[in-house]
Amino acid sequence: LIVDQLMDFSTEPSVFNMFMEQLKKTYFNILIKHDRLGRDVRLLILEPHRWSVIQKYQALTEGLSIQQLTAFVAALKSELYAEGLVQGNFTSAVRHTHIPLEE
């Protein structure tokens, strides 16, 4: 359901800009508070693939466009996959079966 909702994503430029400005303010407020910034650095050490607040803030201030966002949404489904563990009465023949996501 989440993927289907994302695939139908669209926004008006004014709404997109409003969210961008709000996110910039939120990230800036985190950056000026030493305790919140310290927590972010600690999580970055524990999760090296995590985007830091500074990286997120820089991405917004360098200019994220609606076109970039919609291109990401379009590419998301083609890159998405799910893994699961099945236990029970299954044979090894069905163990590696790929079930494509519905288009």
Side-chain angles (χ1 to χ4, degrees):
L1 289 173
I2 293 171
V3 173
D4 288 339
Q5 290 297 317
L6 279 174
M7 295 310 296
D8 294 332
F9 173 80
S10 65
T11 184
E12 294 295 321
S14 60
V15 174
F16 178 80
N17 291 332
M18 179 190 64
F19 277 107
M20 288 279 293
E21 291 304 315
Q22 185 61 45
L23 273 174
K24 284 180 194 176
K25 289 177 187 176
T26 300
Y27 292 149
F28 182 80
N29 287 336
I30 290 171
L31 290 172
I32 62 173
K33 296 179 182 173
H34 64 87
D35 57 329
R36 304 258 329 253
L37 184 58
R39 183 181 318 138
D40 184 57
V41 170
R42 185 183 75 235
L43 288 172
L44 192 59
I45 292 168
L46 295 173
E47 302 173 27
H49 299 293
R50 176 187 182 89
W51 276 47
S52 70
V53 174
I54 293 170
Q55 289 171 314
K56 293 175 186 178
Y57 183 74
Q58 286 173 336
L60 292 178
T61 56
E62 290 171 2
L64 180 64
S65 68
I66 294 177
Q67 292 79 16
Q68 290 171 313
L69 183 59
T70 53
F72 169 77
V73 169
L76 177 67
K77 195 168 184 179
S78 67
E79 298 290 327
L80 186 66
Y81 69 94
E83 291 183 7
L85 172 65
V86 178
Q87 292 180 310
N89 297 325
F90 285 88
T91 65
S92 62
V94 297
R95 183 177 68 194
H96 294 289
T97 302
H98 294 280
I99 302 171
L101 294 173
E102 293 181 300
E103 293 294 325

